[in-house]
Amino acid sequence: MGKSSRQASLQAEIETELEPGERLVWTGQPDARAVFRKLRWLLGAGGLVVAIAGWFALNSIAAQFALLAGLALLLGPAIAALMARGTIYGLTDRRALVLSKSIGHRALTSVDLSAADDAVELLEGEGGSGTALFVSGLPRRRRYTDYTGKFGFWDVPDAAQVAAIVQRALDRQRRA
């Protein structure tokens, strides 16, 4: 699927969640490669645990458990990258939306832009990807918030451009 057809597919998917009269400003999704890169340290940790546990696995139930834990660490980055491919971000003139889809599960997270901060916080990562945070004071356990309660679009490609789009939407929403 080409980039434009993929973008059209994302847009169509998120449009099903819009309220009457709501206008879609931007759609996107996390960069699966950026998610994998961010978690690649787990590969080393998992490999080390697997190697050590594998050495002792025949003689100890604890080592067998550690072997399974190490395998989980090895699979973690790949699973996170697959989950990123099932996540769609949407920005409307009223809300920020995150639609998470996985096998047999669909969850929508929605944040009203009237609660947004004055300025978007940009956390740049490798290769231009990064995170745009723009709503503070949310419960830390809420999905797509950081440990301080800031909500945003995580691991987006072209993060600076996304942050600028979000900032313009926030500015327009405040003037309305």
Side-chain angles (χ1 to χ4, degrees):
M1 187 181 306
K3 188 172 185 173
S4 61
S5 62
R6 177 77 179 145
Q7 187 65 27
S9 173
L10 295 176
Q11 185 171 340
E13 188 83 33
I14 204 78
E15 282 178 343
T16 64
E17 303 296 337
L18 299 183
E19 296 172 350
E22 194 169 22
R23 187 177 56 83
L24 190 61
V25 175
W26 172 84
T27 58
Q29 69 181 148
D31 180 357
R33 291 174 305 210
V35 171
F36 188 87
R37 278 193 310 265
K38 189 166 65 172
L39 298 174
R40 67 180 172 234
W41 66 271
L42 287 173
L43 296 174
L48 183 63
V49 170
V50 165
I52 292 170
W55 186 263
F56 297 103
L58 297 176
N59 300 326
S60 166
I61 217 74
Q64 291 172 2
F65 177 74
L67 183 63
L68 289 175
L71 289 173
L73 288 173
L74 285 172
L75 292 174
I79 291 170
L82 284 173
M83 290 177 69
R85 289 198 48 81
T87 300
I88 303 171
Y89 296 136
L91 182 68
T92 74
D93 54 345
R94 300 179 199 163
R95 301 180 294 158
L97 308 170
V98 181
L99 180 61
S100 304
K101 302 180 308 168
S102 59
I103 299 171
H105 179 72
R106 181 180 172 103
L108 179 69
T109 301
S110 171
V111 175
D112 194 322
L113 292 183
S114 65
D117 302 338
D118 290 334
V120 176
E121 180 181 351
L122 174 62
L123 307 174
E124 292 186 88
E126 294 180 33
S129 66
T131 298
L133 299 171
F134 49 92
V135 180
S136 298
L138 298 174
R140 293 179 300 180
R141 290 185 178 193
R142 185 175 184 157
R143 293 185 74 168
Y144 304 100
T145 59
D146 69 1
Y147 68 97
T148 67
K150 286 187 177 180
F151 174 89
F153 298 140
W154 292 84
D155 301 309
V156 289
D158 301 320
Q161 179 183 1
V162 172
I165 292 168
V166 172
Q167 187 64 57
R168 282 193 300 272
L170 295 178
D171 293 343
R172 274 194 304 272
Q173 203 266 348
R174 284 188 189 94
R175 286 192 301 260

